[in-house]
Amino acid sequence: MSDRREFKDLVSPEVAHETIETLELDPGTEEITLSNADGRILAERIDATLDVPGFDRASMDGYAVNARDTFGADEADPVVLEQIDAVHAGTTPSVEVVPGTCAEISTGAVMPPGADAVVIVERTDEQTAGETTEIEIRTSVAPGDSVMAAGADIAAGARAIGPGTVLTPREIGLLAALGYKSIPVRAKPRVGIVSTGDELVRPGQELDSSRGQIYDVNSDTIAAGVREAGGNPVLYPHAGDDYDEMERLLRTAADECDLVLSSGSTSASAVDVIYRVIEDRGELLLHGVSVKPGKPMLVGRMGQSDGGESAYVGLPGYPVSALTIFTTFVAPAIRDAAGIPEPVTATTSGQMATVERYSEGRTRLMPVGLVENSDRDTLVYPVDKGSGATTSLVEADGIVTVDADTSYLDRGEQVTVELFSPNVRAPPLLGVGEDDPLLNQLLDALTNPRYLPLGSREGIRRLRNGVPDIAVVAGPQQAEVDAIDIGGWSREWGFVVPAGNPDAVTGIESLVEEELQFVNRETNSGLRTSFSSAIGEYADAAGVDRHEVVSAISGFEFGLKAFESPARRVHAGRADVSLGLKETADRLGLSFVSLGTQPVRIFVNPDRLQKASVGHLTELLETIETLTDSFSGYEP
Amino acid sequence: MSDRREFKDLVSPEVAHETIETLELDPGTEEITLSNADGRILAERIDATLDVPGFDRASMDGYAVNARDTFGADEADPVVLEQIDAVHAGTTPSVEVVPGTCAEISTGAVMPPGADAVVIVERTDEQTAGETTEIEIRTSVAPGDSVMAAGADIAAGARAIGPGTVLTPREIGLLAALGYKSIPVRAKPRVGIVSTGDELVRPGQELDSSRGQIYDVNSDTIAAGVREAGGNPVLYPHAGDDYDEMERLLRTAADECDLVLSSGSTSASAVDVIYRVIEDRGELLLHGVSVKPGKPMLVGRMGQSDGGESAYVGLPGYPVSALTIFTTFVAPAIRDAAGIPEPVTATTSGQMATVERYSEGRTRLMPVGLVENSDRDTLVYPVDKGSGATTSLVEADGIVTVDADTSYLDRGEQVTVELFSPNVRAPPLLGVGEDDPLLNQLLDALTNPRYLPLGSREGIRRLRNGVPDIAVVAGPQQAEVDAIDIGGWSREWGFVVPAGNPDAVTGIESLVEEELQFVNRETNSGLRTSFSSAIGEYADAAGVDRHEVVSAISGFEFGLKAFESPARRVHAGRADVSLGLKETADRLGLSFVSLGTQPVRIFVNPDRLQKASVGHLTELLETIETLTDSFSGYEP
């Protein structure tokens, strides 16, 4: 087994881009039917192989003639021709129009042989002479008059569509007109995704948390990114610690794919296997890039069993980091190989909403979120400062690249954001604050709001920084912030206990006096603030120090994230008492000991009052009575 | 059979939009796997049903302890705990950490029961005391220190993603983290497309031009548009004049689809069938809209056999008109039903490149092309003024809506263009002029150029109007236009005759003196201009009037569109002599009678010299020698 490498030779992001550009990903061409062709890239020039229309076509109703027979004819001196046929749309002319004759013809019909013009019916008269019908022609016509010549729309041999054209409905229409049922397009590069974390389980399978398993996030995220970039992702899931099996998978992926990505590798042994396979079968082109995140990025190439070559790029393990490196370095290479132009919406620009300082001394790929102000200017704020949280995936809209020598980005500075998907756009509403079930229902009624349930305190803090549109604040916390209160509700809070309240919990005194395992909410939550106030009042009434009360409560310091999480621990039998809402206790079938009610208020950033989404939310709050009715313990 | 309706009650475009909005297209929801979910619309709110991570997770290497056991510990006064277990990532802790004990733990491992904090290894010392291992703890920790609590990333019960969210890679990542293998999304509305022209043949099938058949363009064009708008198109092809069969098809389409579109109907009987089916089974909501094109647009609804309802919209027959009406009226309704937001790139804005006057007195949906100047401003010019040509499909990028009371659009006026596809963008190069095989090869080397082979004269005319980037001019035509000649080549031209020259054609005299069927090029072409000059010289030399010469040539007035078309008529035995290039004669295996060489020059619009595409073309022209080598009769 090869030694674990140190990342001593970090290359610049530019060198990493250049190295990836040298990789051979060309998937060749494939033939597809027209009905699957939209969005694909035409591989070769298509010339017209037939005339459209394919026949000389009468464009008026009248008589098909040889124009020379009409020369000199006028109202005063008409020419008389013998009618020898009548041709209608959808029929085949059966007789040749020889000099001295003509054929009745209708619009869209095929011109009979010998005829080169149509005299419109209005300039003719029909006369019967015995067995023959004679037509008096009262005008002279030139060859081609009232005839759409074969090929007048598209001529056989003409260049129709060039190679590299993105096929949209109109190109597909032209190809249909030329009779193509299938066409050659650039094939989609096959991109293998090998997941290498021992603890990873595929979504849909059973998760054994007691063994520390988690779901594999990166495989599906990157697969979706591959599809958006015009590639064809192939998942090679791997779990467990069988490294021979993993080596076999990697070799299979290299044989079957134009590019192999690995992601989620956290164990040293997994990285060793990757090194070994690349060095056995190809070449490691770089290991380590001077960029944050993504420092341990690997790039290499591997020979295929059939003599071809597959490329390899190793992505970091944290979801946002993996998507960042994929978007910045890998997606452009896949698009190139697929022949797809960069989407118009691949980037957007905006102003920094906050001041940011940097001291890393290497290029930083900063995940950012977007929000619009009332003037529809886009504001950009950093998210996920290395937390590795999965939730920050949906908070991050894209990446701002900050050069290694930039130490400072000022508020209002213009930056370019590389979006995580061409379908990403600034959310119509950005909110931060308390987690609340009624609020969740309000959010469902809005169009794609982004709400970060980080607690009332964090909501106030961020609103003060001017980033979100709204902050939702619960509890006695004073909103020391320049903001507009657009409404709210109150909710009953207290202790959630097992059904029937087996420990006969009556209030804070039960937690202090008895050996009960308590579960708290995190410190930023308004529930926690109200609880802290209640403890202060309890301590004052009992004439003891607040800290004494707190330290007598087993589990006080252990605060959970969502409003429902502590109650779920009680429900699961892992705690005796939790901080929570009456609504949660009722919904989960648990018992409840009320400690009071607290207000939940929605504060709007004064810069955002004119936003349509804020207007919509304000309207919804006017009907709050109907909403509070369906939540136990809620009042308008 | 119901009577054919007249379009007496034309409604305004606004009423048409409103009527289409009232149609019920909602396709409901469907469950799809995560790997097919990108770009789809989440149908319901997804809440977290599990904690991520699902277990309390050590975030450092060290010792799992009950924090209370460490209270008061420091460097001077350490606490000693008995080590009772060692827990590594991927294993299940087997022993409870009771007071006075601890367990060795590594990053990522599951916290053992009883432990609520990790003391990092650097603040500990190991000592062996007989059979037991004792750990000296030199710091006090609080509950939760160096532990990522279960649910700290995503808490069970938290609102994860709201209904209506467009699923991009990041949302898919979050859903994967929550273990979802499949999710409920908005179903794609099923859109049936019934083609109703008797003369229409599906691409890929045999075309009988002698019966006046043409390929069905609109079905595939509209199907691609339906897919882009988020619908699921179903083609119901119909050919021939069996109207019972067509009625059956329409009823089937209505039963199987949320929306039925018909297009291409040209015959009165087809429209009658549509009327009958709609009136039998539903309701005709409007017939006729005061808009050009699209006046005969029909909108209605039809009952389904199972009691449901299907909507119906009839589109015009000309391809550009059908796509225009689809884009303007139908695509927004499909997007609404699919829950898809309007793409950011659905519209663009630009300045009118020409002056346009209107006198229709009804709303005009003007198909336009786009071109960028050197400053990357978008210029907009009208195309396809009702010609119905299929080729104008690829010239038109979108639609400008001109109000009924607008009689004039000035050059430079700002207009909004509704693009025919979110993938449409202004072509990097717009050229107009002569049709030439070497030019076609040059165009293949450029990125997605748009070239309209409308002849040298039209090239000059349009360049004078300032619209295209380049004009390609062949023959003696003087470029009376302010433009820059960036290079060109010469080509040998003359008569293309059957192989072996059976009629012993020697020059113009053969056409004048013998009964030969000639095929000309259209009057805008440079080939035609050179031929006309040669006729003038021949007439002068022969001492006759030019018109005498021309009228002695059978077929002189009948000019075809592409450079190769006349020669193809000779090749097909439908003519004796054609105007053409030596290159074409050689390539088709025909004989050639030379009449001279003519220059082909590329003129650049002075406003466009700085365009990257013009620079690229200029570079390509520097290597013209290697190109002319492979074209017979061509010289640099």
Side-chain angles (χ1 to χ4, degrees):
Chain A
M1 194 177 282
S2 64
D3 293 333
R4 183 78 185 278
R5 310 301 167 93
E6 282 304 307
F7 302 113
K8 349 181 198 200
D9 309 317
L10 297 185
V11 303
S12 68
E14 293 72 30
V15 170
H17 275 295
E18 286 161 16
T19 306
I20 290 174
E21 272 170 26
T22 67
L23 297 171
E24 176 60 60
L25 304 184
D26 183 9
T29 66
E30 63 179 328
E31 190 84 9
I32 57 161
T33 61
L34 215 53
S35 55
N36 292 309
D38 43 304
R40 300 299 294 271
I41 310 297
L42 194 64
E44 303 165 8
R45 180 169 102 202
I46 300 268
D47 290 341
T49 52
L50 47 80
D51 283 329
V52 179
F55 50 94
D56 294 340
R57 189 169 188 257
S59 53
M60 299 294 277
D61 292 342
Y63 292 89
V65 299
N66 185 312
R68 284 177 185 235
D69 278 353
T70 70
F71 287 176
D74 60 19
E75 292 287 336
D77 187 14
V79 167
V80 175
L81 300 174
E82 182 188 349
Q83 185 192 324
I84 55 167
D85 198 7
V87 199
H88 300 290
T91 64
T92 309
S94 52
V95 181
E96 181 171 353
V97 174
V98 293
T101 68
C102 67
E104 189 189 337
I105 197 159
S106 38
T107 306
V110 180
M111 290 290 286
D116 61 6
V118 170
V119 180
I120 59 172
V121 68
E122 290 80 0
R123 306 302 294 275
T124 64
D125 273 310
E126 187 182 312
Q127 5 176 287
T128 309
E131 302 237 313
T132 64
T133 303
E134 292 186 337
I135 307 299
E136 209 176 71
I137 307 285
R138 301 197 312 271
T139 184
S140 78
V141 290
D145 277 5
S146 299
V147 176
M148 188 187 204
D153 188 352
I154 310 172
R159 182 182 192 273
I161 314 187
T165 303
V166 182
L167 299 174
T168 72
R170 56 189 187 161
E171 283 85 10
I172 286 169
L174 183 57
L175 291 165
L178 295 174
Y180 285 93
K181 191 181 180 179
S182 67
I183 43 162
V185 295
R186 298 278 286 266
K188 297 184 173 204
R190 279 175 71 87
V191 181
I193 299 168
V194 178
S195 105
T196 61
D198 298 357
E199 75 283 20
L200 299 181
V201 172
R202 291 287 307 144
Q205 294 177 8
E206 200 66 38
L207 196 68
D208 184 353
S209 286
S210 73
R211 287 176 53 204
Q213 293 181 333
I214 55 176
Y215 283 116
D216 176 9
V217 174
N218 288 346
S219 292
D220 286 306
T221 310
I222 299 304
V226 165
R227 270 189 299 273
E228 280 196 344
N232 191 10
V234 188
L235 296 195
Y236 295 90
H238 169 261
D241 54 6
D242 182 346
Y243 291 105
D244 290 342
E245 164 72 4
M246 186 172 136
E247 185 166 341
R248 198 190 60 73
L249 262 187
L250 268 174
R251 289 173 187 273
T252 305
D255 278 346
E256 295 176 349
C257 297
D258 301 301
L259 168 64
V260 177
L261 302 175
S262 75
S263 104
S265 64
T266 51
S267 74
S269 340
V271 174
D272 282 336
V273 172
I274 290 167
Y275 269 108
R276 193 168 64 227
V277 173
I278 293 178
E279 298 209 325
D280 268 17
R281 298 195 55 165
E283 190 185 352
L284 192 64
L285 298 173
L286 69 85
H287 48 106
V289 179
S290 178
V291 66
K292 181 184 177 182
K295 188 175 147 188
M297 186 169 102
L298 301 181
V299 178
R301 52 179 163 232
M302 296 185 274
Q304 294 172 318
S305 303
D306 64 0
E309 196 175 274
S310 178
Y312 169 81
V313 178
L315 303 173
Y318 280 169
V320 173
S321 302
L323 190 55
T324 296
I325 293 298
F326 175 82
T327 304
T328 310
F329 291 97
V330 183
I334 295 173
R335 276 200 299 264
D336 271 1
I340 292 180
E342 187 181 54
V344 175
T345 51
T347 61
T348 190
S349 66
Q351 300 164 14
M352 288 297 297
T354 56
V355 176
E356 291 299 309
R357 287 167 212 283
Y358 306 96
S359 55
E360 284 90 358
R362 54 188 164 116
T363 302
R364 200 186 150 110
L365 305 173
M366 175 174 72
V368 296
L370 304 178
V371 62
E372 288 183 346
N373 64 18
S374 289
D375 299 332
R376 307 214 62 177
D377 298 325
T378 299
L379 305 179
V380 176
Y381 62 97
V383 298
D384 187 55
K385 300 182 176 181
S387 75
T390 314
T391 34
S392 44
L393 262 183
V394 282
E395 192 184 352
D397 293 309
I399 308 145
V400 171
T401 301
V402 183
D403 288 340
D405 52 5
T406 299
S407 58
Y408 182 85
L409 280 181
D410 204 357
R411 190 193 301 254
E413 197 160 332
Q414 201 73 20
V415 290
T416 297
V417 181
E418 204 164 347
L419 297 175
F420 277 135
S421 157
N423 284 326
V424 160
R425 52 194 77 177
L429 183 81
L430 174 64
V432 183
E434 193 70 10
D435 192 18
D436 181 88
L438 187 152
L439 176 69
N440 287 346
Q441 193 155 318
L442 274 182
L443 292 170
D444 287 351
L446 298 171
T447 306
N448 296 327
R450 171 173 293 158
Y451 187 75
L452 311 174
L454 301 174
S456 298
R457 194 181 291 179
E458 185 68 8
I460 289 288
R461 197 189 67 77
R462 296 207 182 186
L463 195 58
R464 200 174 281 132
N465 279 344
V467 174
D469 298 319
I470 62 164
V472 179
V473 180
Q477 208 144 4
Q478 293 300 318
E480 295 161 14
V481 61
D482 176 24
I484 295 97
D485 182 338
I486 58 167
W489 52 92
S490 75
R491 60 185 189 180
E492 192 170 0
W493 67 278
F495 293 145
V496 179
V497 295
N501 194 1
D503 296 308
V505 172
T506 51
I508 293 173
E509 60 282 1
S510 308
L511 270 64
V512 173
E513 288 158 17
E514 287 160 55
E515 275 295 309
L516 295 172
Q517 187 60 41
F518 177 68
V519 192
N520 212 338
R521 284 276 281 123
E522 59 182 356
T523 53
N524 280 330
S525 77
L527 268 189
R528 173 77 169 252
T529 313
S530 285
F531 184 42
S532 291
S533 297
I535 284 178
E537 286 162 24
Y538 172 86
D540 287 351
V544 295
D545 186 67
R546 191 186 168 282
H547 287 284
E548 248 175 85
V549 178
V550 162
S551 62
I553 301 176
S554 170
F556 182 87
E557 302 296 342
F558 205 58
L560 297 182
K561 213 183 157 201
F563 73 87
E564 195 173 298
S565 304
R568 281 180 175 247
R569 291 224 170 184
V570 172
H571 191 256
R574 295 171 64 199
D576 305 310
V577 186
S578 82
L579 189 59
L581 301 173
K582 180 167 194 299
E583 186 274 341
T584 307
D586 284 7
R587 189 158 34 80
L588 297 182
L590 299 170
S591 290
F592 181 71
V593 180
S594 182
L595 292 179
T597 61
Q598 64 172 190
V600 181
R601 306 301 304 174
I602 300 182
F603 293 101
V604 173
N605 185 331
D607 285 354
R608 312 292 167 76
L609 266 180
Q610 306 311 317
K611 287 184 74 165
S613 57
V614 171
H616 190 186
L617 179 60
T618 309
E619 279 168 32
L620 288 175
L621 284 170
E622 285 163 11
T623 62
I624 192 70
E625 284 85 357
T626 56
L627 271 169
T628 50
D629 278 355
S630 51
F631 287 86
S632 166
Y634 276 64
E635 296 289 339
Chain B
M1 190 179 283
S2 65
D3 292 333
R4 182 79 184 276
R5 309 301 166 94
E6 282 306 307
F7 301 113
K8 347 180 199 196
D9 309 318
L10 297 186
V11 302
S12 69
E14 293 71 31
V15 170
H17 275 294
E18 284 161 17
T19 306
I20 289 175
E21 271 169 28
T22 66
L23 297 171
E24 175 60 59
L25 304 184
D26 183 9
T29 67
E30 62 179 329
E31 190 82 9
I32 58 162
T33 61
L34 214 53
S35 54
N36 292 310
D38 42 304
R40 300 299 295 270
I41 309 298
L42 194 64
E44 303 165 5
R45 179 168 104 202
I46 300 268
D47 289 342
T49 51
L50 46 80
D51 282 329
V52 179
F55 51 94
D56 294 340
R57 192 172 186 253
S59 55
M60 299 293 278
D61 291 341
Y63 292 89
V65 298
N66 186 312
R68 285 177 186 235
D69 278 352
T70 71
F71 288 176
D74 61 19
E75 292 287 335
D77 187 14
V79 166
V80 175
L81 300 174
E82 183 188 349
Q83 186 192 324
I84 53 165
D85 197 7
V87 199
H88 300 290
T91 64
T92 309
S94 52
V95 181
E96 181 171 353
V97 174
V98 293
T101 67
C102 67
E104 189 188 335
I105 197 160
S106 37
T107 305
V110 180
M111 289 290 286
D116 61 6
V118 170
V119 181
I120 60 172
V121 68
E122 291 80 0
R123 306 302 296 276
T124 65
D125 273 309
E126 185 182 313
Q127 357 175 296
T128 309
E131 302 235 314
T132 65
T133 302
E134 292 185 335
I135 307 298
E136 208 178 74
I137 307 286
R138 301 200 311 272
T139 187
S140 76
V141 290
D145 278 4
S146 300
V147 175
M148 188 188 204
D153 187 352
I154 310 172
R159 183 182 192 273
I161 314 186
T165 303
V166 182
L167 299 174
T168 73
R170 55 189 188 161
E171 283 85 9
I172 286 169
L174 182 58
L175 291 165
L178 295 174
Y180 285 94
K181 191 182 179 176
S182 67
I183 44 163
V185 296
R186 297 279 286 264
K188 297 182 174 206
R190 282 175 69 88
V191 182
I193 299 168
V194 178
S195 106
T196 60
D198 297 357
E199 74 284 20
L200 300 180
V201 173
R202 290 287 306 145
Q205 293 177 8
E206 201 67 39
L207 196 69
D208 185 354
S209 284
S210 73
R211 286 176 54 204
Q213 293 181 332
I214 55 176
Y215 283 117
D216 175 10
V217 174
N218 287 347
S219 291
D220 286 306
T221 310
I222 298 305
V226 166
R227 271 189 298 273
E228 280 196 346
N232 191 11
V234 187
L235 297 194
Y236 296 89
H238 169 261
D241 53 5
D242 181 346
Y243 291 104
D244 289 342
E245 164 73 4
M246 187 174 134
E247 184 164 344
R248 198 189 58 77
L249 262 187
L250 268 174
R251 289 173 186 272
T252 305
D255 277 346
E256 295 176 349
C257 298
D258 301 301
L259 169 65
V260 177
L261 302 175
S262 74
S263 103
S265 64
T266 52
S267 74
S269 340
V271 174
D272 281 337
V273 173
I274 291 168
Y275 269 106
R276 191 168 64 226
V277 173
I278 293 178
E279 299 208 326
D280 267 18
R281 300 197 54 166
E283 189 185 353
L284 191 63
L285 298 173
L286 68 87
H287 49 104
V289 179
S290 177
V291 65
K292 183 185 176 185
K295 188 175 146 186
M297 187 169 102
L298 301 182
V299 178
R301 53 180 164 232
M302 295 185 276
Q304 295 172 319
S305 304
D306 66 359
E309 196 175 276
S310 179
Y312 168 83
V313 179
L315 302 173
Y318 280 169
V320 173
S321 302
L323 190 54
T324 296
I325 293 298
F326 175 81
T327 304
T328 309
F329 292 95
V330 184
I334 295 174
R335 276 200 300 266
D336 270 1
I340 291 179
E342 187 180 54
V344 176
T345 52
T347 61
T348 190
S349 66
Q351 301 163 15
M352 288 297 295
T354 56
V355 176
E356 292 298 310
R357 287 168 212 282
Y358 307 95
S359 55
E360 282 90 358
R362 53 186 164 122
T363 301
R364 201 185 149 112
L365 304 173
M366 175 174 70
V368 296
L370 304 178
V371 61
E372 287 184 346
N373 65 17
S374 290
D375 299 332
R376 308 213 62 178
D377 297 326
T378 299
L379 305 178
V380 176
Y381 62 96
V383 298
D384 186 56
K385 300 182 177 183
S387 76
T390 314
T391 36
S392 45
L393 261 184
V394 283
E395 192 183 353
D397 293 310
I399 308 144
V400 170
T401 301
V402 183
D403 287 341
D405 51 5
T406 299
S407 58
Y408 183 84
L409 278 182
D410 203 357
R411 189 192 301 256
E413 197 160 334
Q414 202 73 21
V415 290
T416 296
V417 181
E418 204 164 346
L419 297 174
F420 277 136
S421 157
N423 285 324
V424 161
R425 51 192 79 177
L429 184 80
L430 175 64
V432 183
E434 192 69 10
D435 191 17
D436 181 88
L438 187 150
L439 176 69
N440 286 347
Q441 194 155 316
L442 275 180
L443 292 171
D444 287 350
L446 297 171
T447 306
N448 297 329
R450 170 174 293 159
Y451 187 75
L452 312 174
L454 302 174
S456 297
R457 194 181 292 180
E458 185 68 8
I460 290 289
R461 196 188 69 76
R462 295 208 184 183
L463 195 59
R464 199 174 283 132
N465 278 345
V467 175
D469 298 318
I470 62 164
V472 180
V473 180
Q477 207 144 5
Q478 293 300 317
E480 293 161 18
V481 60
D482 175 24
I484 296 98
D485 182 340
I486 58 165
W489 53 89
S490 77
R491 60 183 189 180
E492 193 170 357
W493 66 277
F495 293 144
V496 179
V497 294
N501 194 0
D503 298 308
V505 172
T506 52
I508 293 172
E509 60 282 0
S510 310
L511 269 65
V512 172
E513 289 157 15
E514 286 161 56
E515 274 294 311
L516 296 172
Q517 187 61 40
F518 176 68
V519 190
N520 213 338
R521 285 276 280 122
E522 59 182 357
T523 54
N524 280 328
S525 77
L527 267 187
R528 173 77 171 253
T529 313
S530 284
F531 184 43
S532 291
S533 296
I535 284 177
E537 286 161 24
Y538 172 87
D540 287 350
V544 295
D545 185 68
R546 192 187 168 282
H547 287 285
E548 249 175 80
V549 178
V550 162
S551 61
I553 301 175
S554 167
F556 182 88
E557 301 297 343
F558 205 56
L560 296 185
K561 212 185 157 201
F563 72 87
E564 197 174 294
S565 305
R568 281 179 175 249
R569 292 226 168 182
V570 172
H571 191 255
R574 296 172 63 198
D576 305 310
V577 185
S578 83
L579 187 60
L581 299 174
K582 180 167 193 299
E583 187 272 342
T584 307
D586 285 7
R587 189 158 35 80
L588 297 182
L590 300 170
S591 289
F592 182 71
V593 179
S594 181
L595 293 179
T597 61
Q598 65 173 188
V600 180
R601 307 301 304 173
I602 299 181
F603 293 101
V604 173
N605 185 332
D607 284 354
R608 314 291 168 77
L609 266 179
Q610 306 310 317
K611 286 184 77 164
S613 57
V614 171
H616 190 186
L617 180 60
T618 310
E619 278 167 34
L620 289 175
L621 285 170
E622 285 162 11
T623 62
I624 192 71
E625 284 86 357
T626 56
L627 271 170
T628 50
D629 278 356
S630 51
F631 287 85
S632 169
Y634 276 64
E635 297 288 339

